[in-house]
C-alpha cells in the first residue's frame, strides 16, 4: 500500500515537472492523456503571428476531453488576444495538463516569404494537426479558410476563438509558445524591442528597421521589412 502511494506521488510530481518544462522550453511535448473510445474527437486549430514583421507563424492543434470544457471556460479560456500575458501563461499550463493532445506547427520566415502569409498560416495549422498522436474526427479551424489537402474532416469558424473552447485553447497555447520563442530570439536582436512587441510592427520596431536594417528573421515580403 505504501509503495502504491509512493508511485502515485511520483507520477503526480512527474506530470507537474513536465508541465513546468513545457512552459520553459516550447519544443517540449506532453504525453497523451486517455480519451474515451466512443467520443467524437474534435481538435481546435488556430494560428498566431500572422501580422508580425519578425519570426515564424505558429499554430496549435488542441484536443480536449469533453468533461473539462466547462471548467476551462470558467477559468477564463477565450480568445488569447483578450487575455493578459500572465493569464495566457497560466491557462496554457492548465490546457496542456488536461488536454488529450496538443501540438505545435510552425511555418518559417522563408516559407512565409515564398508562399505568402495566408498559405504559410494554413501550412502551420496542417503541421500542427498532423503531429497529433490522436487523429481527430473533426478539426475546427479558426477563420474562413480551409486547410488544403487535409485528409480529415474540417469546419471553418469565423471568430472561432470566441465561439469554441477548443479553438480558444489552441490560440492560447500557440500564443504562449510563439511569445516564448520571440523572447529567446530577442537576446540576439535587442535593437528591435522584441521583448515588448513580440515581432509586431510597433513604431519602435519600424524605427529600428530603418536605422539597423532587417535581420534574418524579418519577413521580406512585408513592406516595412522590404524597405529596410
Amino acid at each position: 500500500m505504501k509503495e502504491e502511494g509512493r508511485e502515485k506521488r511520483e507520477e503526480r510530481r512527474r506530470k507537474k515537472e513536465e508541465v513546468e518544462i513545457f512552459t520553459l522550453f516550447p519544443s517540449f511535448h506532453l504525453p497523451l492523456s486517455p480519451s474515451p473510445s466512443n467520443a467524437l474527437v474534435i481538435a481546435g486549430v488556430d494560428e498566431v503571428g500572422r501580422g508580425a514583421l519578425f519570426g515564424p507563424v505558429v499554430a496549435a492543434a488542441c484536443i480536449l476531453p469533453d468533461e473539462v470544457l466547462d471548467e476551462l471556460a470558467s477559468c477564463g479560456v477565450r480568445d488569447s488576444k483578450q487575455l493578459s500575458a500572465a493569464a495566457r501563461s497560466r491557462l496554457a499550463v492548465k490546457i496542456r495538463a488536461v488536454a488529450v493532445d496538443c501540438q505545435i506547427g510552425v511555418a518559417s520566415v522563408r516559407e512565409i516569404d515564398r508562399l505568402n502569409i495566408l498559405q504559410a498560416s494554413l501550412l502551420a495549422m496542417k503541421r500542427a494537426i498532423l503531429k497529433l498522436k490522436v487523429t481527430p474526427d473533426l478539426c475546427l479551424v479558426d477563420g474562413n479558410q480551409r486547410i488544403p489537402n487535409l485528409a480529415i474532416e474540417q469546419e471553418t469558424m469565423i471568430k472561432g476563438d470566441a465561439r469554441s473552447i477548443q479553438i480558444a485553447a489552441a490560440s492560447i497555447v500557440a500564443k504562449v509558445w510563439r511569445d516564448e520563442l520571440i523572447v529567446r530570439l530577442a537576446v540576439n536582436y535587442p535593437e528591435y524591442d522584441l521583448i515588448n512587441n513580440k515581432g509586431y510592427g510597433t513604431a519602435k520596431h519600424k524605427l529600428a528597421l530603418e536605422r539597423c536594417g532587417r535581420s534574418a528573421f524579418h519577413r521580406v515580403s512585408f513592406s516595412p521589412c522590404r524597405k529596410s
Side-chain angles (χ1 to χ4, degrees):
M1 185 67 72
K2 288 184 179 179
E3 182 67 16
E4 183 179 350
R6 185 183 66 80
E7 290 177 355
K8 287 183 178 179
R9 288 195 298 273
E10 287 292 324
E11 178 68 7
R12 286 196 296 269
R13 186 173 67 179
R14 182 182 65 81
K15 289 183 178 180
K16 182 175 183 292
E17 288 174 351
E18 287 172 345
V19 171
E20 291 171 346
I21 289 171
F22 171 78
T23 304
L24 294 173
F25 302 98
S27 61
F28 185 83
H29 295 302
L30 290 175
L32 301 179
S33 299
S35 177
S37 59
N38 60 343
L40 181 68
V41 179
I42 298 175
V45 189
D46 201 3
E47 54 76 26
V48 296
R50 187 166 168 174
L53 305 179
F54 178 103
V57 61
V58 174
C62 193
I63 300 173
L64 300 170
D66 289 344
E67 60 268 22
V68 305
L69 299 182
D70 289 342
E71 178 188 355
L72 290 176
S74 65
C75 288
V77 171
R78 57 183 185 274
D79 179 1
S80 63
K81 295 184 289 295
Q82 299 177 1
L83 299 167
S84 67
R88 283 194 299 266
S89 295
R90 172 179 58 82
L91 289 169
V93 171
K94 185 171 183 62
I95 291 164
R96 296 296 301 230
V98 301
V100 173
D101 196 5
C102 194
Q103 300 291 346
I104 293 291
V106 176
S108 69
V109 170
R110 183 174 295 183
E111 288 172 322
I112 292 169
D113 290 337
R114 178 169 58 86
L115 299 172
N116 74 44
I117 185 58
L118 171 60
Q119 294 306 316
S121 297
L122 295 172
L123 176 60
M125 289 193 282
K126 183 178 180 180
R127 285 171 172 166
I129 294 166
L130 295 180
K131 286 171 69 175
L132 290 167
K133 305 299 190 298
V134 176
T135 302
D137 300 306
L138 173 67
C139 293
L140 298 179
V141 181
D142 186 50
N144 62 358
Q145 297 289 325
R146 292 176 60 84
I147 298 171
N149 304 314
L150 181 66
I152 297 171
E153 186 176 350
Q154 59 180 299
E155 179 180 333
T156 59
M157 189 175 290
I158 296 173
K159 297 184 178 179
D161 43 14
R163 299 167 57 195
S164 163
I165 292 296
Q166 289 95 335
I167 293 177
S171 77
I172 291 169
V173 171
K175 174 66 174 169
V176 170
W177 196 100
R178 187 180 187 280
D179 283 357
E180 289 178 355
L181 175 66
I182 299 301
V183 167
R184 291 196 296 174
L185 291 173
V187 174
N188 298 320
Y189 303 98
E191 60 271 32
Y192 301 110
D193 194 36
L194 297 170
I195 289 177
N196 293 312
N197 62 49
K198 303 302 186 293
Y200 285 85
T202 60
K204 192 171 182 179
H205 191 173
K206 290 179 180 178
L207 182 60
L209 277 169
E210 292 176 7
R211 290 177 174 175
C212 307
R214 62 178 179 261
S215 73
F217 285 94
H218 277 97
R219 303 173 181 178
V220 181
S221 55
F222 282 43
S223 58
C225 305
R226 198 181 306 128
K227 296 173 184 176
S228 60

